[in-house]
Amino acid sequence: MVSLQLHLSFTPSPLKLRRPLDHKLPLHAPPRLFSSANRAATTNGYPGKDVLLNGAPPPPAHYAKEDSAPLPAGLQRELMPRHVAIIMDGNRRWARTRALPIGLGYEAGFRALRRTVDLCCKWGIRVLTVFAFSTDNWFRPKVETDFLLRLFERALRDELQRLVSEDVRISLIGDSSKLVKPLQVLLTDAIVATESNSRLHLILAVNYSGQSDVVQACQKLAVKVKDGLIEPEDIDEVSVEKELGTNCIDFPYPDLLIRTSGELRISNFLLWQLAHTELYFSHSLWPDFGEDEFLKALCSFQERQRRFGC
């Protein structure tokens, strides 16, 4: 039996959106052309020579320095990762070690996510991708998955206006069709309400599988070949990348992946996109992951010499 013992009664506050909604939530977030700042730093969608040799480029021109607070001692702005991905692991263990209901562990995990989003905005990180709900999570007890998705809906509803005011853009990767209708609608609202924001791009991987992401990209390319739009020999890494869920991101390849809870695996997360990513494994359970742990991960990243090869 899974003990959740947490009341979810609340009154949703009305959302004030920038425009009316009359479209359905897509399977993956809609494509978005690379910004001019990113295009200058990439070649055919991949890091350009200057990036590979010299590290991440300066922040895009539209991102003013005053948008970021001074960095903590030990961090160098020119070496900050543009894109950080996180596997937020350890919520249930955090609750169990404290003899608390599992639901309280998930709530503490959402507070940790809020802290991390604030730090990314504060320190000038451009993209944060979080593994919010895996396709493998459906194998957990139904009472637990139902609770987790309701909590996700409540947290997003409560935080949306704050994210809008903080200039955070929200996108979704994963198959939304299995989510309950109210959550699908809310995710659509959040995507539309924040689509013009540019300080931080928050990517929510919900009902996501890295393997499925690659499979659906291959299926799209197969249809294009069948329809005579491309030849089989035209298919390369760039064409596959354009069909992945992360085609909505200016910097689709994470510079740094963080996994909490001491586990040493990537659990079917961003399998294609992590090809050249630096990995950092923290022993902290996700609810305990705060500024000090994030700082350790970033310092470790900045101490490495990225070679993009064996």
Side-chain angles (χ1 to χ4, degrees):
M1 294 293 292
V2 177
S3 175
L4 294 177
Q5 300 177 13
L6 194 62
H7 297 291
L8 284 175
S9 58
F10 63 95
T11 303
S13 56
L15 300 179
K16 298 179 181 179
L17 302 178
R18 298 182 177 181
R19 63 189 66 185
L21 303 176
D22 56 1
H23 64 279
K24 296 181 179 179
L25 183 66
L27 178 63
H28 293 286
R32 178 172 177 246
L33 295 178
F34 280 4
S35 68
S36 58
N38 184 48
R39 192 178 298 115
T42 59
T43 302
N44 294 328
Y46 286 85
K49 180 178 179 182
D50 290 340
V51 176
L52 296 181
L53 295 178
N54 303 319
H62 70 272
Y63 187 67
K65 288 185 178 180
E66 56 268 20
D67 287 344
S68 297
L71 293 177
L75 289 183
Q76 302 178 57
R77 190 167 300 281
E78 64 272 16
L79 297 179
M80 289 293 287
R82 296 168 298 174
H83 183 172
V84 174
I86 302 180
I87 300 175
M88 306 179 293
D89 193 20
N91 296 309
R92 297 194 297 176
R93 272 172 282 172
W94 183 91
R96 285 169 178 161
T97 58
R98 291 161 175 77
L100 296 173
I102 290 175
L104 292 181
Y106 286 125
E107 284 213 331
F110 273 101
R111 290 194 294 272
L113 176 57
R114 177 175 180 168
R115 290 194 303 266
T116 304
V117 168
D118 290 344
L119 289 171
C120 287
C121 291
K122 182 178 177 181
W123 293 343
I125 293 169
R126 306 295 299 144
V127 181
L128 174 64
T129 300
V130 294
F131 208 176
F133 191 89
S134 166
T135 54
D136 293 328
N137 289 150
W138 294 114
F139 294 104
R140 294 182 179 180
K142 187 175 185 299
V143 64
E144 182 178 346
T145 57
D146 287 350
F147 171 84
L148 180 56
L149 291 174
R150 288 194 199 100
L151 178 60
F152 178 44
E153 179 183 348
R154 185 185 70 180
L156 181 57
R157 191 180 301 277
D158 291 346
E159 289 292 308
L160 182 54
Q161 288 303 319
R162 191 180 76 89
L163 293 172
V164 170
S165 65
E166 291 293 329
D167 201 22
V168 176
R169 180 186 175 201
I170 297 173
S171 290
L172 172 73
I173 58 174
D175 181 2
S176 65
S177 65
K178 290 187 178 181
L179 304 178
V180 295
K181 189 64 176 178
L183 182 53
Q184 290 187 44
V185 172
L186 180 59
L187 284 165
T188 302
D189 292 352
I191 291 169
V192 173
T194 63
E195 63 184 351
S196 299
N197 294 348
S198 60
R199 187 179 189 186
L200 172 69
H201 197 168
L202 176 60
I203 312 298
L204 303 173
V206 182
N207 196 28
Y208 177 83
S209 158
Q211 292 173 326
S212 297
D213 196 11
V214 175
V215 168
Q216 64 84 27
C218 293
Q219 290 172 336
K220 290 180 180 179
L221 291 171
V223 170
K224 290 183 178 181
V225 171
K226 179 181 178 181
D227 293 343
L229 300 177
I230 60 174
E231 296 296 327
E233 55 269 22
D234 295 331
I235 299 175
D236 57 13
E237 292 90 344
V238 175
S239 58
V240 173
E241 183 253 313
K242 289 180 180 178
E243 302 297 342
L244 294 171
T246 46
N247 62 4
C248 62
I249 308 173
D250 279 353
F251 307 108
Y253 299 98
D255 300 297
L256 173 64
L257 170 73
I258 300 171
R259 181 178 184 138
T260 57
S261 84
E263 301 292 345
L264 305 179
R265 58 182 184 272
I266 57 176
S267 298
N268 198 16
F269 184 45
L270 299 176
L271 298 182
W272 178 282
Q273 297 88 337
L274 294 178
H276 297 294
T277 299
E278 297 292 325
L279 308 180
Y280 181 86
F281 299 99
S282 170
H283 288 284
S284 294
L285 301 176
W286 173 244
D288 292 327
F289 190 86
E291 182 170 344
D292 289 343
E293 284 296 325
F294 200 8
L295 181 58
K296 289 178 184 178
L298 294 174
C299 286
S300 174
F301 172 81
Q302 294 196 351
E303 290 169 357
R304 305 179 190 184
Q305 183 177 356
R306 304 186 73 190
R307 292 184 174 85
F308 296 88
C310 297

